[in-house]
Amino acid sequence: TIKTCRCNSSLVGLGAVACRMENQALDQFVILAQTAHGRACEALVRDALDHSNVFVFGELLDCPNVQALRGSPEGTALLELLRIFAYGTYPDYRAQRSQLPELSAAQLRKLQLLTVVSLATRDKHIGFADLQAALDVSTARELEDLIIEAVYQNLIVGKMDQENQCLIVESCACRDCREEDIDYILETLSTWHESAQQMITSLDGMVKHSTESFEKHKSTREDLEKLVQSTRENLKEGDAGVKAGGDSGGGCTRMPTDDADEESKRAKSTRGRWMGTVGLSSRGKH
């Protein structure tokens, strides 16, 4: 019932390669933006939004020539679109669709993937219904394809739980950070730090308990070994004493029970002879 989309070692290797390719592609756009102006800069921004290996746009957005696009209505709309790709989601675009440029097929797909990442940063169990509403997809198959693509793009690591109709997220890529996100990031890190400290304290307690249990077991074992050794020595001394007593008595060792057995045997023998004599006397009289 659970369909797994998990990065194995080969996918992790591919993810590292993809990350390097993304950085290289973004660096190229940032370098080109240093000298591009006007229409050329607008075309550069559109190319960056279409590029299959670029998923972060903060550095490009901060370039002075890109910021200068707000000097024209078309440039302002394109700059706002770039800001949505850097920080926003597909629902943000839909809310302003009438004021923004139309998305190409590649741009639509990328913004949907970035929306999945944004949802994954907020919740580790995301319902399929919530994903479909945010991504504006109508079928489960389309949603599965998007999630699988997000995994292979190294944007998320997780699995699809068909029984509970949700995406279980293990980890996800990072998006561009806004200044208003700093407080949330600090709060998240503080919570993580407290959890880590509690875990360390718990582990220290477990180590202490294990050490004490080991020392107690070791002491008990040593006492038992001493008792076993003492018993063995006592038994050896007892055997030696018995042998010594037998040698001094002419080589024959008798126990009180042996004497009792001999007396019983003699009594039985005497009684048997007496009964036999009585029987013979009775037959002689008759």
Side-chain angles (χ1 to χ4, degrees), residues 238-251:
D239 291 342
V242 169
K243 290 180 179 179
D247 293 341
S248 62

Side-chain angles (χ1 to χ4, degrees), residues 19-277:
C19 185
R20 289 195 297 269
M21 292 175 62
E22 177 182 345
N23 292 335
Q24 292 173 359
L26 179 62
D27 290 342
Q28 291 176 358
F29 284 115
V30 172
I31 292 171
L32 292 173
Q34 305 302 321
T35 56
H37 301 275
R39 296 293 183 184
C41 191
E42 291 180 11
L44 180 68
V45 170
R46 291 191 181 92
D47 289 342
L49 295 178
D50 282 327
H51 200 286
S52 60
N53 290 328
V54 178
F55 289 93
V56 290
F57 302 92
E59 291 182 51
L60 183 61
L61 185 62
D62 290 337
C63 291
N65 290 342
V66 174
Q67 288 294 320
L69 292 176
R70 66 177 70 253
S72 66
E74 296 83 2
T76 300
L78 185 60
L79 187 62
E80 182 61 28
L81 181 62
L82 179 60
R83 185 174 287 106
I84 289 176
F85 270 81
Y87 310 121
T89 60
Y90 187 54
D92 296 330
Y93 171 80
R94 285 191 295 167
Q96 307 176 56
R97 177 175 291 176
S98 60
Q99 304 169 4
L100 298 174
E102 280 294 321
L103 296 177
S104 66
Q107 291 171 0
L108 172 60
R109 193 69 166 180
K110 181 182 290 187
L111 190 54
Q112 288 175 323
L113 292 173
L114 291 172
T115 301
V116 174
V117 175
S118 292
L119 293 173
T121 60
R122 301 169 190 163
D123 194 356
K124 298 307 178 185
H125 290 76
I126 313 170
F128 286 168
D130 296 332
L131 283 167
Q132 285 185 267
L135 302 175
D136 193 25
V137 295
S138 56
T139 66
R141 182 60 187 174
E142 289 181 84
L143 179 61
E144 288 182 4
D145 289 342
L146 267 169
I147 294 173
I148 292 171
E149 185 174 350
V151 170
Y152 277 90
Q153 288 281 5
N154 207 39
L155 297 175
I156 63 170
V157 177
K159 57 188 177 183
M160 289 183 283
D161 187 344
Q162 301 290 358
E163 181 178 358
N164 296 310
Q165 290 290 289
C166 69
L167 170 64
I168 302 174
V169 180
E170 295 182 10
S171 63
C172 63
C174 298
R175 296 197 63 185
D176 293 294
C177 178
R178 298 172 293 184
E179 290 186 7
E180 52 264 38
D181 295 330
I182 298 298
D183 290 338
Y184 173 74
I185 293 173
L186 290 175
E187 181 182 352
T188 303
L189 290 175
S190 298
T191 302
W192 174 84
H193 181 263
E194 291 175 2
S195 299
Q197 288 295 329
Q198 292 176 359
M199 185 175 294
I200 290 174
T201 302
S202 177
L203 290 174
D204 288 342
M206 293 173 65
V207 170
K208 182 180 179 181
H209 175 73
S210 298
T211 302
E212 292 176 351
S213 298
F214 172 77
E215 293 296 334
K216 184 177 179 180
H217 176 73
K218 181 180 178 182
S219 176
T220 303
R221 184 179 181 85
E222 290 176 351
D223 292 342
L224 179 61
E225 289 177 350
K226 289 179 180 179
L227 178 61
V228 171
Q229 184 64 27
S230 175
T231 303
R232 286 176 177 172
E233 291 175 356
N234 290 337
L235 290 174
K236 288 180 180 179
E237 291 176 359
D239 291 342
V242 169
K243 290 180 179 179
D247 293 341
S248 62
C252 180
T253 302
R254 296 182 62 83
M255 301 294 289
T257 54
D258 295 336
D259 296 335
D261 289 343
E262 291 294 333
E263 290 294 334
S264 176
K265 290 178 181 178
R266 285 197 294 270
K268 288 180 180 179
S269 177
T270 302
R271 182 182 178 188
R273 289 196 297 273
W274 180 79
M275 290 297 293
T277 303

